[in-house]
């Protein structure tokens, strides 16, 4: 079955479950946020103990990760808090070491199985972005109120699937509801956003299928949110009375 509509769950109310990640050593635990039971695609929070390694591995599915806490290295590159990593299917992940225990938001587009890595085209590498090196830019939705900016982290050139951070200033408010033609999922990294479904607090997560109206929005002290869609983001605004 495709993923369920989940709105909201909070990592602080979930238990860690021990798991194994193919190719990784060390102790690894997971809080599973959502999964597609057909193809095994999933979003989870994972904890990887200090000293864990992944010497060399490639996978049959793409992996996107956001390091929320800890420190790791891929070769000579250091991954610290708020580093975004994209590992394309079949691209070799090598010389990964966890210098400190790490907590990551971990997203795969299929059930992870090791491959021999021979299917990747040349020059493809793991893409590592420290989010502080990515410039803030204006929001891309026409009519989005002032008081928020985004950092674009990933866009699939074929499907338009995207990932970004949205930073919202304190005292932001938008009373409209919005509807997207694409799935939207989000994890609250910092702060809180009030909505008609309740408060989207730090550690909260949702997986929302396309065409579900959502709103309104207000935040007292601002927030930083990680978003993903499975296609190009388009937004239609609706008034609450018209729903
Ligand atoms: Fe939305």
């Amino acid at each position: 079955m495709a993923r369920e509509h989940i709105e909201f769950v909070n990592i602080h109310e979930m238990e860690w479950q021990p798991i194994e990640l193919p190719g990784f050593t060390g102790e690894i635990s997971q809080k599973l946020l959502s999964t597609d039971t057909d193809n095994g695609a999933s979003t989870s929070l994972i904890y990887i103990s200090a000293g864990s390694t992944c010497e060399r591995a490639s996978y049959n599915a793409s992996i996107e990760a956001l390091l929320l806490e800890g420190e790791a290295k891929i070769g000579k590159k250091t991954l610290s808090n708020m580093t975004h990593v994209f590992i394309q299917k079949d691209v070799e992940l090598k010389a990964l070491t966890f210098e400190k225990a790490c907590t990551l938001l971990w997203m795969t587009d299929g059930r992870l199985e090791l491959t021999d890595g021979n299917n990747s085209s040349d020059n493809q590498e793991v893409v590592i972005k420290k989010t502080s090196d990515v410039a803030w830019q204006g929001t891309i939705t026409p009519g989005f109120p002032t008081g928020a900016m985004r950092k674009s982290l990933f866009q699939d050139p074929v499907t338009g699937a995207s990932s970004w951070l949205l930073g919202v200033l304190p005292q932001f408010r938008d009373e409209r509801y919005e509807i997207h033609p694409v799935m939207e999922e989000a994890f609250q990294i910092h702060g809180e956003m009030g909505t008609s479904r309740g408060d989207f607090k730090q550690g909260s997560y949702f997986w929302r299928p396309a065409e579900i109206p959502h709103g309104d929005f207000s935040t007292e002290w601002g927030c930083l949110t990680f978003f993903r869609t499975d296609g190009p983001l388009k937004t239609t605004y609706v008034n609450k009375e018209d729903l």
Side-chain angles (χ1 to χ4, degrees):
M1 200 185 101
R3 299 202 207 194
E4 275 178 58
H5 180 188
I6 292 171
E7 194 154 7
F8 311 128
V9 289
N10 192 291
I11 56 163
H12 302 302
E13 293 161 9
M14 300 171 74
E15 299 287 327
W16 290 107
Q17 305 290 340
I19 56 155
E20 286 192 9
L21 273 183
F24 282 62
T25 66
E27 282 173 37
I28 303 174
S29 323
Q30 177 188 57
K31 294 183 181 185
L32 183 62
L33 297 168
S34 76
T35 189
D36 182 323
T37 49
D38 290 336
N39 65 12
S42 66
T43 301
S44 60
L45 192 73
I46 62 167
Y47 170 87
I48 303 181
S49 62
S52 299
T53 61
C54 174
E55 245 170 63
R56 188 174 286 260
S58 55
Y59 299 95
N60 62 328
S62 299
I63 302 168
E64 185 175 352
L66 183 66
L67 179 56
L68 299 172
E69 194 175 354
E71 193 177 306
K73 272 190 172 164
I74 296 181
K76 288 181 183 161
K77 289 187 183 164
T78 299
L79 282 58
S80 53
N81 289 3
M82 295 302 293
T83 300
H84 181 265
V85 179
F86 183 76
I87 308 160
Q88 180 81 40
K89 168 186 168 180
D90 284 319
V91 166
E92 198 169 64
L93 173 63
K94 57 189 171 195
L96 169 60
T97 55
F98 291 85
E99 314 275 300
K100 295 180 185 167
C102 287
T103 308
L104 304 102
L105 194 61
W106 180 263
M107 297 147 280
T108 69
D109 66 3
R111 197 170 285 108
L112 277 193
E113 286 162 21
L114 293 169
T115 62
D116 60 16
N118 291 337
N119 298 324
S120 71
S121 46
D122 291 342
N123 305 323
Q124 281 199 304
E125 284 189 356
V126 174
V127 182
I128 302 168
K129 283 181 187 161
K130 183 149 178 56
T131 61
S132 57
D133 292 338
V134 178
W136 285 111
Q137 62 180 116
T139 52
I140 60 171
T141 300
F144 199 98
T146 53
M149 295 193 94
R150 65 180 265 150
K151 286 179 183 254
S152 299
L153 299 177
F154 171 76
Q155 184 160 36
D156 186 297
V158 177
T159 64
S162 304
S163 304
W164 68 95
L165 290 175
L166 185 75
V168 181
L169 287 171
Q171 303 296 306
F172 176 94
R173 186 167 183 179
D174 189 353
E175 289 182 352
R176 299 169 298 175
Y177 279 56
E178 47 180 53
I179 300 172
H180 312 296
V182 290
M183 173 288 297
E184 182 177 41
E185 81 177 314
F187 178 78
Q188 188 71 301
I189 296 165
H190 178 79
E192 188 168 323
M193 177 65 82
T195 79
S196 60
R197 287 182 180 268
D199 292 337
F200 192 56
K201 296 177 181 171
Q202 191 278 325
S204 292
Y205 168 82
F206 68 77
W207 172 278
R208 183 186 297 132
E211 307 298 341
I212 306 254
H214 50 281
D216 43 6
F217 305 99
S218 65
T219 178
E220 191 167 8
W221 301 118
C223 57
L224 179 68
T225 315
F226 174 78
F227 280 95
R228 285 216 305 174
T229 56
D230 60 0
L233 179 70
K234 294 194 180 82
T235 302
T236 304
Y237 286 111
V238 280
N239 293 320
K240 193 175 179 179
E241 308 78 62
D242 300 332
L243 286 171

